[in-house]
Amino acid sequence: MDGVQRITRVTLHDAVLNQLRDMIIEGKLPPGTRINEGPVGASLGVSRTPLREAIKTLASEGLVEILPAKGAIVRRFSEKDIRDILDVLKTLEQLAARLTCAHASDAEIAEIADLHKQMLRLYADRNRLAYFKLNQEIHSAIVRASGNNALTQVHEQLQARIKRVRFIGNELPERWAGAVAEHEEMNLALLARDGEKLSEVLGRHLDKTLDRVRDAI
């Protein structure tokens, strides 16, 4: 049936992982915080085993560091760390922009445009976390539509590392509005299959990301 969203079964691991990741992104577990398995597990209503597995996954994503004698610590990024990652993400997304506009199917383009419409509704509702997740999915979808698997894998790894930093970039209303305006430009360029324009907007968007988050690093 058209328009009906399929129900997906979420494993305990995925549920714990998603909740713990959200706690880091939203700042409920700030950078530098030790993830105490007892209290955190109790707050989530789970045992230590699924919590430890989730922590391992977050460590592989770069959101958590596992340190000797200290355990799992929410990773703290320096301004240079963020700049370095954003520089690489910019290069990857600009390449993806040109490839996607040249080679993506009409269905893939339409799907990304639909994600953009959904994101605008979340912005209108001021639902920051849901907006942020969909915003990041749009970036990922543009990269996936490039058809380059190596590009997609590297982008996914780097994007995961700075989710918390990018989330806080929209705390001020004017910065959030600016990011939305840039996404509007991105969507128009994508629909026109203008790879050079989309590349330029994505580059500008990522350049401004550091300015949006610098005060909070």
Side-chain angles (χ1 to χ4, degrees):
M1 295 176 63
D2 294 338
V4 176
Q5 184 174 359
R6 293 178 62 86
I7 296 174
T8 57
R9 180 173 297 180
V10 179
T11 65
L12 177 61
H13 168 74
D14 287 340
V16 175
L17 174 62
N18 292 338
Q19 184 64 26
L20 196 58
R21 187 188 290 115
D22 286 351
M23 292 170 71
I24 293 174
I25 291 172
E26 292 185 274
K28 295 175 182 177
L29 290 172
T33 300
R34 179 176 178 270
I35 302 177
N36 192 314
E37 293 178 0
V40 173
S43 70
L44 297 177
V46 298
S47 66
R48 292 175 184 263
T49 299
L51 182 59
R52 286 173 180 167
E53 291 303 312
I55 288 172
K56 289 179 183 177
T57 300
L58 291 174
S60 71
E61 292 180 359
L63 286 174
V64 168
E65 295 178 292
I66 300 178
L67 304 177
K70 291 185 178 180
I73 308 294
V74 178
R75 186 170 179 180
R76 186 188 302 277
F77 292 93
S78 68
E79 183 174 326
K80 184 179 185 304
D81 291 333
I82 302 304
R83 186 187 302 110
D84 288 349
I85 292 173
L86 287 173
D87 282 345
V88 178
L89 282 174
K90 175 182 175 180
T91 300
L92 296 176
E93 292 194 13
Q94 288 186 309
L95 172 59
R98 292 188 287 270
L99 291 173
T100 293
C101 287
H103 303 299
S105 68
D106 290 343
E108 288 173 315
I109 298 291
E111 182 179 345
I112 297 170
D114 185 61
L115 292 176
H116 176 73
K117 292 177 183 177
Q118 295 177 47
M119 186 193 74
L120 292 182
R121 289 195 289 269
L122 292 171
Y123 173 64
D125 293 338
R126 297 302 187 266
N127 187 335
R128 283 187 66 226
L129 183 58
Y131 164 91
F132 171 77
K133 290 181 178 180
L134 199 52
N135 177 296
Q136 295 294 278
E137 174 57 21
I138 289 170
H139 285 267
S140 296
I142 291 172
V143 174
R144 286 197 302 270
S146 72
N148 187 313
N149 291 332
L151 174 59
T152 300
Q153 290 170 5
V154 175
H155 179 267
E156 181 180 339
Q157 292 168 0
L158 290 178
Q159 183 167 249
R161 293 184 187 178
I162 56 171
K163 285 184 175 178
R164 164 61 185 164
V165 173
R166 298 190 76 169
F167 177 72
I168 60 180
N170 292 332
E171 286 183 336
L172 296 179
E174 63 272 19
R175 292 180 180 177
W176 193 359
V180 171
E182 289 155 17
H183 265 266
E184 289 272 33
E185 289 187 75
M186 288 161 49
N187 188 58
L188 290 173
L190 180 67
L191 290 172
R193 289 185 177 269
D194 188 338
E196 291 307 315
K197 178 61 178 178
L198 180 56
S199 175
E200 183 275 323
V201 178
L202 277 166
R204 177 161 32 95
H205 181 66
L206 287 163
D207 284 342
K208 289 184 178 180
T209 296
L210 182 60
D211 293 333
R212 294 186 182 112
V213 305
R214 183 176 281 111
D215 294 342
I217 296 175

